[in-house]
Amino acid sequence: MGSGQVTNWQGKHVTVAGLGVSGVPAAKVLHGLGARVTVVNDGDDERARAQAAELEALGVTVRLGDGDTLPEGTELIVTAPGWKPDKPLFAAAHTAGVPVWGDVELAWRLRGPDAPPWLAVTGTNGKTTTVQMLASILKAAGLRTAAVGNIGVSLLDAVLGEEQYDVLAVELSSYQLHWAPSLRAHSAAVLNLAPDHLDWHGSMEAYAADKGRIYEGNRVACVYNVADKATEDLVREADVEEGCRAIGFTLGTPAPSQLGVVEGLLVDRAFVENRQKNAQELAEVSDVNPPAPHNIANALAAAALARAFGVPARAVRDGLRAFRPDAHRIAHVADVGGVTYIDDSKATNTHAAEASLAAYESIVWIAGGLAKGATFDELVAGAAKRLRGVVLLGADRALIREALSRHAPEVPVVDLDRTDTGAMRAAVQEARRLAQAGDTVLLAPACASMDMFANYNKRGEAFADAVRELGSVDG
């Protein structure tokens, strides 16, 4: 498991690119290890200044409004995952022979000698749910684990914190994988591949290649989606450890080396003796919550990774039964006309909305409410490339509209001048009009709900009711 650790950070010149969710902790950790840290950030808004002040108090240098110039003497760049590979900063780094790591690479390299193995999940959709299901199954097997990465505990905290783990369930985006060259998972899954983030990666091939990097150096299992040939192709191309197996998951009857569904049961024909003839029952379809097709696929992928780690069949069933999708937290409401509707009413601040917006590639965003003093420039700038359209409602929607006009002027915006409870139905109808097949309509208001609703639960319920009214719901 040689991970080429930089053991001596003392006095090493490290530039951290971006102040966002991963940048601030990375800067603090590196500073704590004795590195000379400079943070560069494109934005120079209120939030950035507050973060800069906090870091400068520790002795970190921060340059706001200049994310393109490579600071003199830089020996390593640690970048926020959202920064595009074609940024001038990275071109300058390439010319100067300076390596670029993401937050995941940094976490991977900072692991101790007895660090727990990683079970990793990527894919266009379903990552968060699958990782949460996986963590639930591992816990049911009596293992010390956490769901980390894009969700839950930050990877740096998991790697450097006091808590001891047996294994980590790690959610990784294509961005994070792009900047994590030395990551080697125990086992990994690519759930699906839709044309996504193409503006960021430059092409479908580059996007797929970055997703496929999750398989590099896998030791036990590369888990792929039988219904999505692109994921299987990535396994074929991966350079894995001797003896690592390709394991498929399918909503149909599984072939040998696959997990699938037979007569209402989730079954394993991969991690059993004599898989030509035998299958192991893992759980009933009804143990999956909710038992929608895409979610059964998530459960099978989670089960495959857990089984690759040696978890008994019973723990799969118990873990799936114990798993509860978070109410109004990136909750899948329905797919209508090829468009996915997601209720993240719980995203009552910009930080939560940032995580939510980062989870989808092409979004019609429903936002607005009570801003509670928040500014939206950084949020909007970070999400601009993913926005198909925006529907605004609520008391402080003008603040978001202004940020959109500054950072995403070409994105169509519907401004609903309403704060009555019926506004949500109108918002969903407008969102449907803006959405195209393959898009996600995302309620991630980035604001509190009390201007229009009793609480975020009621707001989420109003959204779900409006979506259900849109007509026949297809799986």
Side-chain angles (χ1 to χ4, degrees):
M1 292 295 291
S3 48
Q5 270 102 334
V6 178
T7 40
N8 185 14
W9 291 90
Q10 206 60 43
K12 197 171 175 72
H13 282 254
V14 184
T15 294
V16 173
L19 270 170
V21 183
S22 61
V24 175
K28 287 180 179 171
V29 164
L30 290 162
H31 175 72
L33 292 166
R36 292 168 65 178
V37 182
T38 304
V39 181
V40 297
N41 196 60
D42 287 338
D44 181 11
D45 55 29
E46 237 172 286
R47 182 175 170 202
R49 280 187 213 126
Q51 289 172 319
E54 183 189 353
L55 291 172
E56 282 165 343
L58 297 173
V60 173
T61 306
V62 183
R63 294 189 190 172
L64 297 177
D66 179 17
D68 286 339
T69 315
L70 184 67
E72 192 68 38
T74 299
E75 297 170 77
L76 169 71
I77 292 176
V78 175
T79 180
W83 282 40
K84 288 172 71 168
D86 62 4
K87 271 187 82 69
L89 177 70
F90 302 135
H94 184 72
T95 305
V98 173
V100 181
W101 300 355
D103 57 327
V104 171
E105 179 75 7
L106 179 63
W108 180 253
R109 298 223 189 197
L110 291 175
R111 292 168 312 131
D114 50 356
W118 292 13
L119 299 175
V121 176
T122 194
T124 306
N125 297 306
K127 294 185 287 290
T128 299
T129 302
T130 303
V131 166
Q132 289 174 328
M133 285 176 168
L134 173 58
S136 184
I137 292 168
L138 295 167
K139 280 177 186 149
L143 295 160
R144 295 170 301 174
T145 190
V148 300
N150 266 341
I151 52 163
V153 183
S154 100
L155 257 175
L156 280 171
D157 286 348
V159 168
L160 298 171
E162 300 295 295
E163 188 90 32
Q164 297 289 307
Y165 296 108
D166 298 310
V167 57
L168 291 174
V170 188
E171 175 184 335
L172 297 170
S173 70
S174 54
Y175 300 172
Q176 288 172 315
L177 286 162
H178 180 88
W179 300 119
S182 65
L183 165 67
R184 300 291 179 265
H186 171 288
S187 298
V190 179
L191 301 175
N192 43 56
L193 270 176
D196 248 337
H197 300 293
L198 300 195
D199 54 345
W200 195 91
H201 293 276
S203 68
M204 186 63 193
E205 291 69 33
Y207 172 64
D210 279 334
K211 288 280 191 204
R213 306 234 8 269
I214 203 168
Y215 291 136
E216 286 300 309
N218 279 199
R219 301 204 308 267
V220 177
C222 294
V223 176
Y224 68 93
N225 182 346
V226 174
D228 191 334
K229 188 177 175 303
T231 63
E232 189 176 356
D233 293 343
L234 293 178
V235 177
R236 287 186 206 289
E237 289 153 24
D239 186 8
V240 298
E241 297 258 323
E242 192 66 44
C244 182
R245 295 167 58 200
I247 305 292
F249 64 89
T250 172
L251 294 177
T253 303
S257 291
Q258 293 180 359
L259 280 74
V261 181
V262 178
E263 294 173 1
L265 299 174
L266 273 56
V267 298
D268 173 354
R269 283 192 74 186
F271 302 100
V272 289
E273 294 290 317
N274 188 358
R275 53 186 181 266
Q276 296 304 324
K277 296 203 179 96
N278 295 343
Q280 167 75 53
E281 177 187 330
L282 297 175
E284 297 187 17
V285 165
S286 57
D287 292 327
V288 179
N289 179 23
H294 73 277
N295 211 37
I296 295 164
N298 294 337
L300 288 165
L305 289 172
R307 295 284 283 163
F309 196 69
V311 161
R314 197 178 148 172
V316 174
R317 184 199 67 193
D318 293 349
L320 289 174
R321 283 183 181 171
F323 169 72
R324 286 285 165 276
D326 301 342
H328 310 294
R329 181 75 186 104
I330 315 191
H332 178 272
V333 178
D335 293 300
V336 183
V339 175
T340 301
Y341 290 80
I342 301 290
D343 165 14
D344 198 14
S345 183
K346 194 163 187 276
T348 57
N349 57 42
T350 55
H351 188 279
E354 187 172 10
S356 194
L357 287 161
Y360 306 97
E361 314 303 337
S362 182
I363 300 164
V364 177
W365 182 30
I366 301 179
L370 288 176
K372 301 172 296 189
T375 58
F376 298 92
D377 286 277
E378 190 178 338
L379 175 66
V380 169
K385 296 284 192 291
R386 297 151 170 266
L387 298 176
R388 167 89 67 197
V390 182
V391 181
L392 297 175
L393 71 174
D396 292 329
R397 63 189 184 282
L399 294 172
I400 305 176
R401 189 179 64 234
E402 286 154 17
L404 285 160
S405 65
R406 282 192 288 274
H407 303 287
E410 66 297 332
V411 174
V413 177
V414 176
D415 191 330
L416 290 175
D417 185 9
R418 297 173 59 170
T419 52
D420 63 288
T421 45
M424 187 59 79
R425 183 182 295 154
V428 167
Q429 285 163 348
E430 291 292 348
R432 180 189 199 173
R433 191 176 57 73
L434 290 167
Q436 298 178 24
D439 286 353
T440 298
V441 170
L442 175 65
L443 172 69
C447 291
S449 57
M450 285 78 73
D451 56 330
M452 295 170 60
F453 300 95
N455 51 43
Y456 74 76
N457 292 311
K458 289 277 184 276
R459 177 169 65 186
E461 286 159 17
F463 173 78
D465 289 346
V467 170
R468 292 189 192 102
E469 275 178 30
L470 289 178
S472 58
V473 174
D474 56 66

